[in-house]
Amino acid sequence: MVQRSDVNYFGAGPAPLPTAVLEKASQALLNYQDKGLGLCEISHRSPEANAILAETKQALTDLLEIPDDYDILFLQSGGSGEFSATVYNLVSIWVEKKRAQIAKEVGDNKEGVLKKLRKVVDEELKVDYLVTGSWSLKASQEAARLIGAKHVNVAVDARKANDGKFGTIPSEDQWTLTPRSAGGPAFVYFCDNETVDGVEFPSFPKSLEGDDAPIVVADMSSNFISRKVDVEKYGVIFGGAQKNIGNTGIAIAIIKKTLLPPQSPYASPDLLRELNLAVGPIVFDYPTIAKNNSLYNTLPIFDVWVAGQVMKGLVETYGAKRISGQEDISDEKANLIYGVLDKYTDVYRVVPDKSARSRMNICFRVAGGDAEKEKAFLAGAEKKGLLGLKGHRSVGGIRASNYNAVSLDGAKLLASYLEEFAKAS
């Protein structure tokens, strides 16, 4: 029988979880805190569930040093659900701000306000997307589906700078962001780490900083809690849990409180319908979820508990270093693997440009993408217990996902196999 200790899993998601957390989870599923009920059976409104929510929020706050003026929400539908939720919520804020401005100019004339607002929405509403990989592309496509392509400004399409393929992040002077002088966009979205294409932003974009900076939305599904983040630069950070944080079932959103009522009123559903703009489902409505402490509907408390255990483990492991401790390990593992790939360039080709290489999803080809040799590479890796290395079906090749639960020893074993395979080729 193959034991858990016999394998190292590099799958892109669902990703590996710490064995210690899974061992605790097996007991919690059967009998949580000696109550005779498992975690999947307790009420999401029970004192135990509220304690789990509070502890998980605190662990994430401690790790990322999240300021007090941010809220943490737990939602369902994963990162893809947040593609929609960010559009519904932030466009609603933009519309209400414009309505209030127009109402000051024209007074209580409802028809006059609506007429002018229609014109402003038609001519000025923009959401900016930095498309650097498959997931940011999907996010931009969802925005276009919800509010219309004319309102979506793809400020950068990285494929145009890379022979039609993703693999680089063009320099910021090539981006065509909606000018701030023209009122700016409702928000700017980017995917901090592209799981499929192995592209990661090395740092926060300089062009999104400043006193008049736009609301910035970042999808961190696949590099959440892997490096230090200056949370205050973002309006919304979101991510599905199933990469670095927990198991499939929840998404986590960190939201600046100024984007929630009463600081930011939202347009009414009736007004949005009058403007032919999408009205979001109530379970995607940030004000509703925040007001109800993420318990508007039945939250999968077991999934929140798993995420909390993972993050509490990091807090205990790294102490005062917080997430910087995990960042050091993530960098060390990535450098080990990339070091061997760069050593044997006659055998391996790293797909993304060196300036945008992901620390989390290391994508490469063997022998220029030779199908038989890549098949042999995967077969040899499996014999050594190195699993989950097959690239995404849309791009092929090899992908080593270097998430937090992949141990340093596991990364060393993969590096050793890369050396062995290269020398034998």
Side-chain angles (χ1 to χ4, degrees), residues 13 22 81 95 108 113 147 156 174 195 200 206 223 225 231 255 261 277 288 296 319 323 326 366 385 392 402 417:
L22 291 177
V95 168
D108 295 330
V113 170
I147 61 173
V156 59
Q174 297 179 47
T195 320
E200 184 175 28
K206 293 289 185 184
N223 65 351
I225 64 170
V231 174
I255 301 174
L277 291 173
T288 299
Y296 176 79
I323 203 61
Q326 180 60 53
V366 176
H392 191 272
N402 178 39
Y417 173 63

Side-chain angles (χ1 to χ4, degrees), residues 304-367:
V304 177
W305 179 88
V306 171
Q309 293 299 305
V310 170
M311 292 188 287
K312 285 168 69 176
L314 293 178
V315 171
E316 292 166 4
T317 297
Y318 297 115
K321 291 188 73 175
R322 305 195 190 211
I323 203 61
S324 295
Q326 180 60 53
E327 182 174 12
D328 291 343
I329 297 297
S330 297
D331 290 349
E332 183 177 357
K333 291 187 296 175
N335 289 337
L336 271 170
I337 297 167
Y338 279 124
V340 181
L341 295 174
D342 288 339
K343 182 179 177 181
Y344 296 99
T345 54
D346 56 329
V347 178
Y348 306 117
R349 177 179 62 84
V350 177
V351 174
D353 186 79
K354 198 167 187 176
S355 64
R357 286 180 178 178
S358 170
R359 300 162 306 117
M360 294 289 101
N361 306 103
I362 300 170
C363 298
F364 60 97
R365 305 307 300 251
V366 176

Side-chain angles (χ1 to χ4, degrees), residues 274-286:
E274 289 267 22
L275 298 168
N276 293 318
L277 291 173
V279 177
I282 194 73
V283 292
F284 284 168
D285 187 62
Y286 289 157

